[in-house]
Amino acid sequence: MKNWITLMLLIVTSFSALAQTGQVQGLITDENKITIPGASVLIEQLNKGAISDFNGKFTLVNVEAGTYTLVIKYLGYSEYRQQITVSPKQTTNLNIVLTEQTTELDEVQVVSFGFGSQARALNTQKNKQNITNIVSTDQIGKFPDANIGDAVKRIPGITMQVDQGEARNIIVRGLAPQLNSVTLNGSRIPSAEGDNRNVQMDLIPSDMIQSIEVNKAVTPDMDADAIGGSVNLITRTSPQGFRFSATGGSGINLINDKRILNGSFLLGDRSKNNKFGWVVATSYNDTQFGSDDVEAEWDDEFEYNTGEQNSEGEDILQELEVNPYANVSEIREYQIQRVRRSFSANFDYKLNDNNTLYFKSIYNWRDDRENRFRLEQEILDGEDISVGDFSVDADRNLTAFPVEAKRQTKGGIDNDRSKNTRLEDQRMQNYSIGGEHLVNNLQLDWMASYSKASEERLNERYLEYESEYGVTFNNNANKPNFTPSNTDESDFSLFEFGELSEENQYTDETDFNALVNFEVPLHLLDKENGTLKFGAKTRLKSKTRDNDFTEYSPETDDLEFLGNIPSKDYTRSDYSAGSQYQIGYFGTPEYLGNLDLYDADLFESEDKPDEYTTANYDVKENVYAAYAMTNQNITDKLSFLFGLRLEHTDVDATGNEIVFDADGDYLETSPVTSKNNYTNILPGLHVKYDVTDKTVLRFAWTNTIARPNYVDIVPFKEINNEDEEIVLGNPDLDPTTSMNFDIMAEHYFSSVGLLSGGVFYKNIEDFIYTFQYEDADGYEVYQPFNGDKANLFGFEAAFQRQLDFLPGFLKNLNIYLNYTYLKSDASGIRNEDGEEREDLNLPNTAPNMFNGSLGYTNKHFSLRLSANYSDAYIDEIGGRAFEDRYYDEQFFLDLNARANITKQLSLYVDVNNITNQPLRYYQGVSSRTMQMEYYKTRITFGLKYDLFKK
């Protein structure tokens, strides 16, 4: 490979040097010296063109010597024309400033869906060869979002899974997070999650990112692990002039009336000789919030002890036909402090007109301090339920039964970092160096990057007390609740000591990426326009999880009863799920954090390897890729891009298997190692037809993959004797592959807007699901398997524009709408009896998604009401349809307002989650709640200052 690339480079360079041609390079900015991406650049006499990149740069090579007219077109800006002279074997360098088109549009304040950001996004999208959505976060006056997930969730076809009220996992075109990729400046972002490849979008502040590019049909020069799509986050680049921006604000979380603090600043400039550019940025957000959470598990089988014994002296259990009932009920309260910090420093240096080097870096650090209080009530095993312990009404509803109740406090040690909470320390860092070079007609760029993501949870403590008593069940499927039958028996002070534990968890993933791209003229069908691009990339990845778990037994009677220790009643009358959920008393986090567990006179410690060793693993995954593609113009309206990508993957995984003795006690841990490799050949074709200069038709045929989650390919075996469950890895899993077809039509309005619609189809093979079955000992076994095939059909439509054709003040209204529909089917999924199920959609695919926004913007003020909806979908496949878990539909409503105090200073107010949308799961049918977690509304406000020196 290396020798072949060197030979190609020598041949291309040698032949290029003979031609009496020159090159044209340029940088396009607006009046504020903010770069203009996606501009159409054309040498009129030669009909030879290019598109400016995300940094506003463009390059035209192999231009015959002479004098020409250069024309630049950009929606929302006046057409630019300039006479240029091209000399042989020389590069003509241009600095171009575009001006906004009309005075009326000049007065439109740039807001989230305002003119400036739409112009950048839509022009880039329009001129891309592939199907793409672009969001520009530079100069858009956007209110400070909590994270980058909030910034992308309004893009057509995108919705987000929430965690603690913030957008975390990205869903593209209804496809699950593990079927999509997230990259930073083109390099895959590592994941701090121990169980999957999902990138935590709530880890990255939105104000640290310059542009967001969503590729729904990838090209051969992009990583292929993007069945749903690829989201590329582009960090801020050096401005072309001095820029200073700062934001400071506060707010309140209505779930606990706790404060929010946020601030950020950006500073950048270029040297006087314009060679060296730099920009530094930092962001800080500190919020104290929480959530109210109710969970349940459902069963439709019930048995009790008849009190009689068989001939072998075993209790005789009798099954009773009953309607589905909640056999487990949990009431939870979370108290959280989330501190998010981010720092970025980016530099570029122009060696000469044809050579530029750059360095980019970003460091994200998030602390989550959490206390959780959980009241769990679970029905007793049938052998422990006597005839008089339960009741069933005439409609076969189980109305009363005995439960084992547990009151658990979750916290951490008392120090300056943990502060008696469970501290989750997540970090993601990325450092990259690269260069862009022009050697005669050869364009060459390269990059090397190092990335690391980690999650550390030290000294995580749990204190649990237990009791048994009878409860009545309300048989309300939507809001299930258990009520103690006898308050004396359920008195918190009588709960007995159950378990005290401390655990440490650490996960990290490191990536090293190196890539090189070459691009040369290749005119197959058009004497002026055509290129050949080829290159290679290496990604070396390693992931490690290292956990431990220790149980502590008190040597004294001080902890014997919950009533003996400092406790607090956490019941609230304004509990979001309803005042009927009475969570009650728990040991305080301060008491738990100050226990001296390491004093042997007070506590006896016992290492519990069966609790953690099977979760520990080491995985090394190396991906070697090469590609070649050509972009050709058939006519001045019709063009195509065709290419081939090859990716070879090597995987080494080491897990653990626990060995038990004849009595079922832990004996030893045995490491287990597996190796796997596979090669994917992935052709692709993109066709673009410009019906007019504002109307575009597109077709794409692509082939993509999704690699299995790390934990799924680790050869481990985890046995949970208490819950009678076994979890297995599967090192023989194949990657999921998909053949994709897309057709899209787009019309762009002169007033900066878009009307688009299209269909897409995906033929997916070897998708991964969790097979659930019962073994000979009655244990539930969970293991990932490849399904057979799945088909997915979708429709996507979007409309956005300023309604400037309306009279009077109504012309300041702007509207943003998009809708995505999905229909899928899957084969090869088997139930607990080994029979194929025919009633399932592809897991984790939402059938309907909608985004809408109605805004009003004038010179002094802007107001926007935004809605985001995603439909319910199957999230986890059970052993049978009754056990399937679904992620419920969700509807978010947000309100944003901004007032301009001066040209540089503005005031913003942001109201999120007006609808108090809960995170909700249900089991089997939508009325049967498994989880409903509420976050209430969040209000933020503050000042933003932005200064440009022209």
Side-chain angles (χ1 to χ4, degrees):
M1 171 69 73
K2 181 177 179 181
N3 292 335
W4 179 78
I5 292 175
T6 303
L7 179 62
M8 288 291 293
L9 179 59
L10 290 173
I11 293 174
V12 170
T13 304
S14 300
F15 276 97
S16 299
L18 297 176
Q20 295 301 304
T21 61
Q23 296 81 38
V24 179
Q25 283 193 139
L27 176 68
I28 307 175
T29 65
D30 65 9
E31 293 172 298
N32 288 320
K33 295 188 177 180
I34 299 298
T35 55
I36 297 288
S40 174
V41 182
L42 181 71
I43 297 178
E44 199 168 48
Q45 292 85 346
L46 300 177
N47 196 31
K48 186 180 187 69
I51 304 297
S52 62
D53 64 16
F54 274 106
N55 298 317
K57 297 179 181 179
F58 68 89
T59 302
L60 294 163
V61 299
N62 200 32
V63 181
E64 294 181 9
T67 300
Y68 306 101
T69 301
L70 185 76
V71 181
I72 299 177
K73 295 182 179 181
Y74 202 69
L75 285 174
Y77 286 76
S78 300
E79 182 180 294
Y80 180 91
R81 303 178 74 88
Q82 178 182 343
Q83 190 176 75
I84 62 171
T85 299
V86 180
S87 302
K89 299 183 181 179
Q90 293 186 18
T91 300
T92 302
N93 280 278
L94 306 170
N95 287 295
I96 297 164
V97 179
L98 300 187
T99 57
E100 294 182 3
Q101 194 165 30
T102 67
T103 303
E104 178 180 353
L105 287 177
D106 255 350
E107 294 177 353
V108 176
Q109 185 63 33
V110 181
V111 294
S112 292
F113 301 116
F115 172 71
S117 62
Q118 283 192 46
R120 283 169 167 75
L122 295 183
N123 277 281
T124 307
Q125 179 176 319
K126 172 178 176 289
N127 291 315
K128 280 276 190 177
Q129 184 68 35
N130 63 321
I131 298 172
T132 308
N133 291 113
I134 308 292
V135 172
S136 172
T137 61
D138 201 4
Q139 200 200 12
I140 60 177
K142 191 169 174 36
F143 313 120
D145 279 326
N147 63 70
I148 200 67
D150 292 324
V152 304
K153 69 181 182 183
R154 311 219 185 270
I155 295 175
I158 288 185
T159 189
M160 303 294 297
Q161 292 179 339
V162 298
D163 178 75
Q164 291 298 344
E166 290 192 346
R168 168 165 284 201
N169 297 320
I170 189 167
I171 297 175
V172 182
R173 285 182 162 179
L175 291 172
Q178 59 265 32
L179 300 181
N180 308 305
S181 69
V182 182
T183 60
L184 189 71
N185 300 318
S187 294
R188 186 71 183 258
I189 297 178
S191 170
E193 297 281 354
D195 296 334
N196 53 58
R197 296 175 182 265
N198 300 349
V199 174
Q200 303 88 335
M201 302 293 279
D202 56 355
L203 184 60
I204 305 172
S206 62
D207 47 16
M208 302 298 289
I209 300 299
Q210 175 175 293
S211 300
I212 305 167
E213 179 185 35
V214 180
N215 293 286
K216 296 176 179 176
V218 297
T219 53
D221 57 343
M222 301 176 186
D223 289 340
D225 48 351
I227 291 179
S230 171
V231 179
N232 186 31
L233 308 177
I234 300 170
T235 56
R236 294 186 179 275
T237 55
S238 307
Q240 297 307 307
F242 177 82
R243 184 181 181 186
F244 173 74
S245 176
T247 298
S250 186
I252 187 171
N253 288 294
L254 297 187
I255 194 162
N256 56 7
D257 295 333
K258 298 287 188 178
R259 58 101 178 112
I260 300 170
L261 297 174
N262 65 70
S264 66
F265 85 87
L266 177 146
L267 184 64
D269 202 354
R270 298 201 72 81
S271 61
K272 290 184 179 180
N273 62 7
N274 211 36
K275 284 182 173 290
F276 178 67
W278 59 274
V279 61
V280 293
T282 188
S283 174
Y284 179 85
N285 181 273
D286 182 354
T287 178
Q288 296 184 29
F289 62 105
S291 62
D292 299 335
D293 183 26
V294 173
E295 301 188 16
E297 296 178 19
W298 295 81
D299 203 347
D300 57 357
E301 298 175 352
F302 175 75
E303 61 182 10
Y304 64 93
N305 193 329
T306 63
E308 300 177 358
Q309 295 182 328
N310 59 20
S311 58
E312 297 179 356
E314 297 174 339
D315 291 334
I316 297 176
L317 304 183
Q318 178 65 49
E319 291 187 3
L320 189 65
E321 184 178 354
V322 296
N323 294 322
Y325 66 97
N327 63 344
V328 178
S329 169
E330 293 187 8
I331 307 174
R332 302 184 178 197
E333 179 172 324
Y334 291 85
Q335 298 176 354
I336 300 170
Q337 180 190 23
R338 177 167 291 174
V339 181
R340 185 185 293 109
R341 321 162 189 85
S342 185
F343 177 78
S344 175
N346 298 329
F347 310 96
D348 65 79
Y349 186 75
K350 192 174 182 180
L351 298 173
N352 52 45
D353 289 341
N354 295 333
N355 297 278
T356 300
L357 301 177
Y358 63 84
F359 170 81
K360 292 188 176 185
S361 66
I362 188 168
Y363 189 96
N364 300 291
W365 179 15
R366 189 188 74 186
D367 285 338
D368 257 19
R369 295 183 175 92
E370 176 185 301
N371 289 123
R372 186 193 69 192
F373 308 98
R374 184 187 73 185
L375 171 61
E376 176 186 320
Q377 301 171 98
E378 181 176 3
I379 191 171
L380 298 182
D381 293 337
E383 60 188 18
D384 298 320
I385 301 176
S386 302
V387 175
D389 292 340
F390 66 94
S391 61
V392 179
D393 66 16
D395 296 323
R396 300 200 306 274
N397 294 314
L398 191 60
T399 59
F401 43 81
V403 298
E404 179 184 34
K406 299 178 181 179
R407 294 185 174 275
Q408 184 187 82
T409 299
K410 176 182 182 179
I413 62 175
D414 182 15
N415 63 17
D416 292 338
R417 288 280 292 142
S418 296
K419 301 178 181 179
N420 297 310
T421 67
R422 185 276 290 142
L423 174 62
E424 181 181 85
D425 181 330
Q426 281 196 347
R427 309 189 189 199
M428 192 282 288
Q429 50 194 304
N430 178 278
Y431 311 94
S432 61
I433 58 173
E436 298 172 352
H437 310 279
L438 181 60
V439 184
N440 294 316
N441 290 334
L442 171 69
Q443 296 181 70
L444 181 153
D445 66 89
W446 59 273
M447 183 182 71
S449 69
Y450 170 81
S451 300
K452 181 179 179 179
S454 64
E455 178 181 287
E456 186 175 52
R457 294 162 60 163
L458 299 178
N459 308 111
E460 183 173 336
R461 291 184 172 185
Y462 295 85
L463 175 60
E464 187 170 88
Y465 284 82
E466 303 173 348
S467 184
E468 290 187 9
Y469 50 79
V471 299
T472 59
F473 173 47
N474 65 352
N475 276 285
N476 184 333
N478 188 50
K479 289 198 170 184
N481 191 29
F482 294 174
T483 304
S485 304
N486 187 316
T487 55
D488 291 336
E489 293 181 357
S490 61
D491 187 341
F492 83 94
S493 64
L494 301 179
F495 275 60
E496 298 179 348
F497 175 82
E499 184 177 297
L500 174 60
S501 65
E502 182 176 281
E503 59 184 281
N504 298 284
Q505 300 182 26
Y506 180 76
T507 302
D508 75 34
E509 179 178 323
T510 59
D511 278 17
F512 175 77
N513 291 268
L515 63 88
V516 60
N517 299 304
F518 304 90
E519 187 171 6
V520 295
L522 179 64
H523 311 313
L524 298 179
L525 302 168
D526 185 311
K527 68 176 182 179
E528 295 297 343
N529 292 287
T531 62
L532 171 66
K533 187 177 181 181
F534 55 95
K537 181 176 182 179
T538 297
R539 185 173 75 209
L540 309 178
K541 181 187 294 288
S542 64
K543 185 145 190 168
T544 299
R545 184 159 65 179
D546 184 13
N547 299 346
D548 64 50
F549 186 95
T550 306
E551 279 190 4
Y552 294 89
S553 302
E555 296 288 3
T556 68
D557 296 334
D558 294 347
L559 281 74
E560 184 175 3
F561 294 99
L562 180 53
N564 293 352
I565 68 171
S567 60
K568 180 181 176 180
D569 185 3
Y570 290 90
T571 300
R572 299 196 338 262
S573 60
D574 62 345
Y575 195 78
S576 300
S579 59
Q580 68 270 32
Y581 295 101
Q582 305 284 312
I583 195 169
Y585 284 81
F586 294 83
T588 64
E590 293 77 14
Y591 175 76
L592 176 59
N594 281 281
L595 289 175
D596 189 359
L597 300 183
Y598 318 124
D599 187 337
D601 293 330
L602 299 177
F603 297 95
E604 179 186 356
S605 64
E606 182 184 3
D607 181 36
K608 304 287 289 186
D610 53 325
E611 292 282 351
Y612 65 86
T613 52
T614 55
N616 294 339
Y617 61 80
D618 289 287
V619 174
K620 295 187 184 300
E621 180 183 85
N622 297 332
V623 179
Y624 308 96
Y627 75 92
M629 67 184 196
T630 182
N631 197 339
Q632 299 292 325
N633 285 5
I634 301 175
T635 68
D636 59 350
K637 292 180 176 293
L638 181 63
S639 62
F640 74 87
L641 184 156
F642 175 76
L644 182 74
R645 184 177 185 88
L646 183 146
E647 290 193 353
H648 177 77
T649 306
D650 283 327
V651 182
D652 289 346
T654 300
N656 297 290
E657 185 175 25
I658 291 179
V659 180
F660 294 91
D661 61 22
D663 298 325
D665 296 325
Y666 171 80
L667 184 62
E668 63 179 358
T669 299
S670 175
V672 185
T673 301
S674 68
K675 295 180 181 290
N676 195 9
N677 65 80
Y678 45 88
T679 301
N680 298 95
I681 300 174
L682 307 158
L685 172 68
H686 300 260
V687 179
K688 180 185 177 188
Y689 180 69
D690 295 318
V691 180
T692 68
D693 61 348
K694 294 183 176 65
T695 303
V696 181
L697 299 179
R698 303 179 189 272
F699 167 80
W701 166 62
T702 57
N703 290 269
T704 50
I705 66 172
R707 295 179 176 87
N709 288 327
Y710 304 108
V711 71
D712 290 340
I713 58 177
V714 173
F716 75 95
K717 182 177 183 180
E718 177 181 334
I719 301 176
N720 187 326
N721 290 310
E722 182 179 354
D723 296 334
E724 296 186 341
E725 293 179 348
I726 298 175
V727 181
L728 301 171
N730 187 352
D732 296 324
L733 283 174
D734 292 321
T736 302
T737 60
S738 178
M739 181 182 290
N740 318 293
F741 296 90
D742 294 80
I743 299 175
M744 183 70 68
E746 303 163 353
H747 177 74
Y748 295 84
F749 300 106
S750 298
S751 58
V752 188
L754 167 70
L755 174 65
S756 67
V759 295
F760 54 91
Y761 170 77
K762 298 179 182 293
N763 182 10
I764 300 172
E765 296 187 356
D766 294 321
F767 64 89
I768 297 170
Y769 74 101
T770 301
F771 180 40
Q772 180 180 342
Y773 62 94
E774 188 174 294
D775 70 2
D777 297 322
Y779 279 51
E780 288 290 327
V781 181
Y782 302 86
Q783 186 175 23
F785 272 73
N786 285 113
D788 294 338
K789 294 183 178 181
N791 296 291
L792 186 145
F793 169 80
F795 166 78
E796 189 174 272
F799 174 75
Q800 62 182 102
R801 73 166 294 173
Q802 183 170 334
L803 305 183
D804 54 353
F805 54 85
L806 295 177
F809 73 93
L810 294 177
K811 68 184 178 184
N812 294 321
L813 290 172
N814 55 81
I815 192 169
Y816 181 94
L817 302 169
N818 63 72
Y819 169 74
T820 303
Y821 167 78
L822 289 178
K823 180 177 176 57
S824 68
D825 62 76
S827 61
I829 299 176
R830 289 162 178 78
N831 62 18
E832 58 190 4
D833 298 322
E835 300 169 345
E836 183 171 348
R837 293 183 58 178
E838 299 178 355
D839 58 341
L840 289 173
N841 296 326
L842 180 67
N844 296 298
T845 54
N848 294 283
M849 290 177 291
F850 169 79
N851 288 302
S853 173
L854 178 63
Y856 180 85
T857 305
N858 62 27
K859 186 176 181 179
H860 305 289
F861 177 77
S862 65
L863 184 70
R864 184 177 79 244
L865 182 68
S866 303
N868 178 275
Y869 170 82
S870 61
D871 211 344
Y873 57 86
I874 187 166
D875 172 72
E876 184 177 284
I877 298 172
R880 53 197 175 104
F882 177 82
E883 298 170 350
D884 292 340
R885 186 178 76 172
Y886 289 80
Y887 191 103
D888 199 9
E889 62 181 359
Q890 53 187 10
F891 177 76
F892 292 97
L893 196 64
D894 305 321
L895 180 67
N896 303 317
R898 174 171 175 166
N900 299 313
I901 301 171
T902 69
K903 188 176 181 180
Q904 286 84 28
L905 184 64
S906 59
L907 170 70
Y908 68 86
V909 178
D910 193 359
V911 184
N912 292 93
N913 194 21
I914 297 172
T915 55
N916 189 23
Q917 173 64 50
L919 167 66
R920 184 174 183 270
Y921 289 89
Y922 61 85
Q923 183 176 319
V925 295
S926 61
S927 61
R928 195 177 296 140
T929 297
M930 289 190 74
Q931 181 179 5
M932 48 182 177
E933 186 172 36
Y934 294 84
Y935 314 105
K936 289 193 176 179
T937 302
R938 182 180 72 241
I939 302 172
T940 55
F941 52 86
L943 295 171
K944 183 179 179 70
Y945 181 80
D946 214 344
L947 175 65
F948 304 87
K949 281 190 179 180
K950 301 180 181 180

